[in-house]
Amino acid sequence: MTGPTAPAPRSTEPESAAGWAPTPALGRAVLLAGLLLVAGVLLGRVDLVVLAAPFALGTAYALRRRPTTLPQVWITAGDDGPLVEGGEVSAAVSVGNPDAIDYDLVVVRSRVSPWLRIARAGFAGTGPADDAPPADAPPAAGTSPGTGRSVADRPFVTSLPAAEAVDLELAGRALRWGRHPVGPAGARVAAAGGLLVSRAVFTEPVGVRVYPRTEPFEAVEAMPRAAGLVGAHHSRRPGEGGELAGVRIFAPGDRLRRVDWRVSLRARQLHVAATLSDRDAEVVVLLDVLAEAGRSGGVDGSASVLDTTVRATAAIAEHYLHRGDRVSLVEYGPGARRLRAAAGRRQYLTVLEWLLDVRAEASQHEPYDQVFGPQQLSSDALVVVLTPLLDERSAQMLARLARSGRFVVAVDTLPANLTPPKDRGWAEVAYRLWRLDRETMIGQLREHGVPVVRWAGAGSLDQVLRDVARLATAPRVGSR
């Protein structure tokens, strides 16, 4: 798991003796001792004075050493490498005692993102909490589907000696990609035999980065057009490569190792083996974030539009970056975020980090000019558009890209199990009409030359890429 860690114990609250207040126990002890003493003096009864002595002496003895500083609270997140959906997450809420007086009671409580299912929690050395539910416990009332219940959402109690610290260890499972907070956390302590209590001390939350799980994806078809200098795709241009293009007559500049001696002996003239150059390609993944649909159930539940979009983007980027291609990301929405094209493992890690901030944002304006205005897409790039096709502007964007001569592939990210709301009058009829209208829109896109395919993991784009590559290599018929 990744996330910032506190370099040293610190608290967001200033250290001050004014942060301590008497408890009701102290008030009761002083009141009872005072009443007994006054009654003993007025009534002349020595037994009442003797009865008040233990309360007075006990209170004075407990208050002989009063704490002067507040506790310190900080949060640390485990650093066991990148955390992926479904992986084990760990964190710790630490409470320090900078005073020379022991804390008799420490109460610690922390908030945790509902997408981090904390299944085990307890202070270091004491074992997990006895009432911690198992990891597969059913969701509690009021929780989101798939999030389950978290044992971190309750107070934990312990004692703390002077000049020491105690860690409340949290362990569980990350259910969904994104930046999830652990905290804020707070602590309140009691000292002097429970006669004094501190005010609550809080600390800021720590963010935990959970990367999307890469779904299996593989595209074995060639790219429509390779434009780089070095790569794994066979281009149509002759050059140094491993794909045989034919045999031709030797020309100045040809290498001797390319000479085909058998053909040369038969023709009585030097011939060389011609090859096709290996080139890389640029893949632009366009994320439609104008709308969100479906309900996210985490890594083990149903997937919303954003879930499918983010996970499919990670899979496509990993596949093409592994093959040496250049990958760039673009958001189709009001934010118009963009990640420049690059290759290699560093770009893949940058892609995962970039995907953590993907959010669905509605916009009343057409974002096309904002997304594609000053920055033009390469004419040789393969544009993979991940869209639920819920907005008419998304379909218009696809048609405009196709008319501009780009190689466009649309991936439908709408959940297949999307259902209309129940018991709402004409909702089911309206849902059917909307489905028919959407199918008509998809048919019109295909007529414009935009293939639309539903995301299905490995092999999702093979047939589509085969058709696009065939169109790219087909001879162009010009008008005379």
Side-chain angles (χ1 to χ4, degrees):
M1 180 182 64
T2 59
T5 57
R10 63 184 181 87
S11 172
T12 56
E13 298 289 344
E15 297 182 359
S16 172
W20 294 86
T23 64
L26 177 59
R28 290 192 296 267
V30 173
L31 178 61
L32 182 58
L35 291 177
L36 289 175
L37 288 175
V38 171
V41 171
L42 294 179
L43 299 178
R45 296 183 56 178
V46 180
D47 58 334
L48 293 180
V49 177
V50 174
L51 187 61
F55 293 98
L57 294 176
T59 302
Y61 181 79
L63 294 176
R64 76 191 190 284
R65 299 179 63 192
R66 302 181 58 181
T68 58
T69 57
L70 294 174
Q72 296 174 328
V73 184
W74 67 98
I75 302 175
T76 56
D79 192 10
D80 301 329
L83 178 62
V84 184
E85 288 178 302
E88 295 295 325
V89 60
S90 61
V93 180
S94 303
V95 181
N97 181 3
D99 211 321
I101 308 299
D102 295 344
Y103 291 157
D104 300 323
L105 188 69
V106 178
V107 181
V108 185
R109 191 167 187 174
S110 175
R111 290 185 178 180
V112 180
S113 169
W115 293 113
L116 300 177
R117 180 185 293 177
I118 302 301
R120 300 181 304 278
F123 289 101
T126 61
D130 295 335
D131 57 345
D136 57 351
T143 60
S144 300
T147 60
R149 51 183 175 178
S150 174
V151 300
D153 191 22
R154 67 177 183 84
F156 291 84
V157 180
T158 187
S159 59
L160 184 59
E164 291 189 12
V166 63
D167 297 331
L168 174 61
E169 297 179 347
L170 308 175
R173 188 165 176 254
L175 299 181
R176 190 174 186 257
W177 57 272
R179 303 181 188 273
H180 304 301
V182 176
R188 200 171 186 181
V189 302
L195 300 181
L196 297 177
V197 63
S198 72
R199 58 190 171 100
V201 178
F202 298 96
T203 187
E204 294 297 324
V206 170
V208 176
R209 299 192 296 269
V210 181
Y211 296 118
R213 185 177 63 177
T214 303
E215 298 183 359
F217 171 73
E218 183 178 359
V220 299
E221 291 300 319
M223 295 294 295
R225 187 179 296 169
L229 298 176
V230 179
H233 303 288
H234 302 305
S235 72
R236 294 177 293 167
R237 299 182 182 181
E240 294 295 329
E243 183 73 11
L244 184 64
V247 180
R248 59 176 175 80
I249 298 176
F250 181 86
D254 289 336
R255 298 185 180 182
L256 292 178
R257 65 185 181 91
R258 293 289 187 183
V259 174
D260 191 325
W261 294 106
R262 290 189 295 181
V263 176
S264 300
L265 290 174
R266 288 198 306 266
R268 297 182 181 275
Q269 189 177 5
L270 284 179
H271 284 69
V272 294
T275 57
L276 296 177
S277 60
D278 294 333
R279 307 247 169 166
D280 65 347
E282 181 179 348
V283 180
V284 179
V285 183
L286 184 62
L287 289 73
D288 182 1
V289 295
L290 289 177
E292 167 71 316
R295 194 171 188 178
S296 177
V299 68
D300 298 324
S302 58
S304 66
V305 167
L306 278 186
D307 288 340
T308 304
T309 300
V310 170
R311 293 166 187 165
T313 301
I316 294 173
E318 181 186 31
H319 170 74
Y320 285 110
L321 289 173
H322 181 71
R323 300 184 63 177
D325 298 321
R326 289 168 287 117
V327 175
S328 64
L329 304 182
V330 182
E331 273 190 0
Y332 188 72
R337 293 196 308 141
R338 179 183 296 267
L339 178 64
R340 65 178 182 85
R345 176 169 176 77
R346 181 177 181 180
Q347 177 71 356
Y348 176 62
L349 297 178
T350 306
V351 166
L352 293 180
E353 191 74 21
W354 191 89
L355 289 175
L356 297 182
D357 297 320
V358 174
R359 299 289 183 272
E361 300 179 73
S363 175
Q364 298 180 353
H365 306 285
E366 170 60 63
Y368 188 90
D369 294 335
Q370 184 178 359
V371 175
F372 301 106
Q375 304 185 26
Q376 298 295 329
L377 296 178
S378 171
S379 59
D380 296 320
L382 171 65
V383 184
V384 180
V385 183
L386 300 168
T387 172
L389 292 174
L390 294 175
D391 198 309
E392 187 177 352
R393 291 171 295 179
S394 302
Q396 295 173 355
M397 174 266 296
L398 288 169
R400 293 172 69 176
L401 287 177
R403 286 196 299 266
S404 66
R406 302 298 191 277
F407 303 108
V408 183
V409 175
V411 179
D412 186 3
T413 59
L414 189 70
N417 56 352
L418 194 64
T419 57
K422 303 296 183 181
D423 301 331
R424 292 192 180 180
W426 296 91
E428 186 174 354
V429 177
Y431 176 77
R432 292 180 181 178
L433 292 176
W434 170 78
R435 275 289 188 182
L436 291 174
D437 182 67
R438 186 172 182 272
E439 292 297 329
T440 302
M441 180 173 58
I442 293 176
Q444 293 175 346
L445 286 174
R446 288 170 176 162
E447 291 178 358
H448 280 78
V450 180
V452 181
V453 60
R454 180 173 293 277
W455 176 255
S460 297
L461 308 182
D462 268 349
Q463 181 62 41
V464 174
L465 290 179
R466 185 183 298 113
D467 297 337
V468 174
R470 187 182 300 115
L471 291 175
T473 56
R476 297 181 180 271
V477 180
S479 60
R480 297 185 60 182

